[in-house]
Amino acid sequence: MAQPSATYLVVESAGQDHGRRIDLVGNRLTIGRLPTCDVRFDDLQVSRTHATVWRRGDADYVEDLGSSGGTYVNNVVITGPRELRAGDTVAFAGLRLRYSADGSEDPRPRQESQQVRYDIREQRADEINNVGRDQFNYSQHIVQQRESFFREIAATKTKARWLVWTGVALFVIGLGIAYVGGFNYLQWFADVWSSSTASSTAPELDFSGLLIAAVGGLINTVGVLLVIIGIVLHIVATSRRKRVNRDFPPPPPQYRRH
């Protein structure tokens, strides 16, 4: 039986992947949403090809692959390869993992704090005067991520409303057309019935009313489908907004760029 890797990542974020262990085996692992990735997460926060982890000598390194959500080590966004030490927190956008080596913490001191601290003293003209650059950039990145997600959610809700109103309009139009077609057919049927008792000559067949009613029913059905799709999209967008608020809590107001 294969022995577990000496170094590994463990998912700490709440969700379906919580507690998942990722053994860092091989020379390089690609992390993302695509099925072709070595480590796949079914999480919208994670880009299709988000980051890569590889081994050089006795050390593991992580590097972002141009993801939209960014890659963080100890709450600091990385812009190049970064060596990992036991106990480091690695985050792919809002998905947080813990790096471990042989189940022990690295005795070397780490320069970064594992928690983002908002330590604000005197502020002037809505400017951040005494916050570290990396900490401020991290906060701004979270704000930008929230705004980006909210724009997508707003666009989805707009599309959902458009589909619902279009569906309602088609439903009403189809209902009207079906009513007219059905009325014409019933009128023709009544004429046939009355003429059959008064004369031996049968009137000409006329199924135009039925055809009109069928067209109206088809339009009516399309309208109902559009309404259903719009409602589903709206529910999905609302659920995603709650998820963004949960995974990307807003920083304090002092950290938001005006």
Side-chain angles (χ1 to χ4, degrees):
M1 184 173 65
Q3 296 296 324
S5 173
T7 57
Y8 54 91
L9 292 167
V10 178
V11 179
E12 293 187 333
S13 296
Q16 61 181 359
D17 290 306
H18 178 72
R20 176 183 174 186
R21 170 171 168 155
I22 302 166
D23 291 317
L24 303 181
V25 295
N27 294 327
R28 182 179 293 267
L29 295 177
T30 303
I31 299 170
R33 288 204 325 267
L34 289 178
T36 54
C37 292
D38 300 302
V39 180
R40 182 176 181 272
F41 289 103
D42 188 16
D43 192 317
L44 293 178
Q45 301 176 78
V46 179
S47 296
R48 289 178 294 179
T49 51
H50 195 107
T52 181
V53 178
W54 77 93
R55 174 166 286 272
R56 181 189 300 164
D58 294 330
D60 289 315
Y61 293 81
V62 62
E63 183 177 6
D64 189 77
L65 296 178
S67 66
S68 60
T71 300
Y72 303 83
V73 175
N74 300 325
N75 292 330
V76 177
V77 65
I78 63 173
T79 57
R82 176 64 180 272
E83 181 182 354
L84 295 175
R85 301 176 183 177
D88 279 347
T89 298
V90 182
F92 305 118
L95 187 68
R96 189 177 69 256
L97 302 90
R98 175 78 61 181
Y99 174 79
S100 297
D102 292 326
S104 61
E105 295 289 328
D106 194 321
R108 293 176 292 175
R110 294 195 298 272
Q111 296 180 354
E112 302 85 9
S113 169
Q114 294 185 19
Q115 299 294 330
V116 175
R117 295 180 300 175
Y118 300 104
D119 185 14
I120 307 297
R121 295 187 181 90
E122 181 183 1
Q123 303 298 326
R124 297 179 181 177
D126 292 331
E127 294 181 357
I128 304 298
N129 300 322
N130 56 352
V131 179
R133 175 179 56 84
D134 290 335
Q135 183 177 346
F136 179 68
N137 289 341
Y138 172 76
S139 302
Q140 287 302 310
H141 185 78
I142 292 297
V143 172
Q144 292 170 4
Q145 280 294 105
R146 284 174 56 85
E147 292 176 350
S148 176
F149 282 128
F150 286 154
R151 281 195 295 268
E152 294 177 7
I153 292 169
T156 302
K157 285 190 173 183
T158 299
K159 184 184 296 184
R161 286 192 292 268
W162 182 87
L163 287 173
V164 169
W165 284 114
T166 302
V168 170
L170 289 177
F171 177 83
V172 173
I173 293 172
L175 196 64
I177 294 175
Y179 174 79
V180 171
F183 180 79
N184 289 341
Y185 177 75
L186 290 176
Q187 189 176 32
W188 172 80
F189 187 79
D191 292 341
V192 170
W193 180 265
S194 60
S195 62
S196 63
T197 58
S199 172
S200 59
T201 304
E204 296 182 359
L205 295 176
D206 184 6
F207 294 106
S208 60
L210 280 180
L211 292 176
I212 294 174
V215 171
L218 181 61
I219 296 175
N220 187 281
T221 302
V222 172
V224 171
L225 290 176
L226 289 180
V227 170
I228 293 174
I229 293 172
I231 292 174
V232 171
L233 279 179
H234 194 277
I235 293 173
V236 170
T238 302
S239 175
R240 191 181 182 194
R241 183 181 181 88
K242 293 180 180 178
R243 188 175 179 182
V244 169
N245 283 326
R246 181 194 67 197
D247 295 334
F248 292 92
Q254 298 95 323
Y255 278 78
R256 302 173 193 172
R257 183 171 294 163
H258 299 285

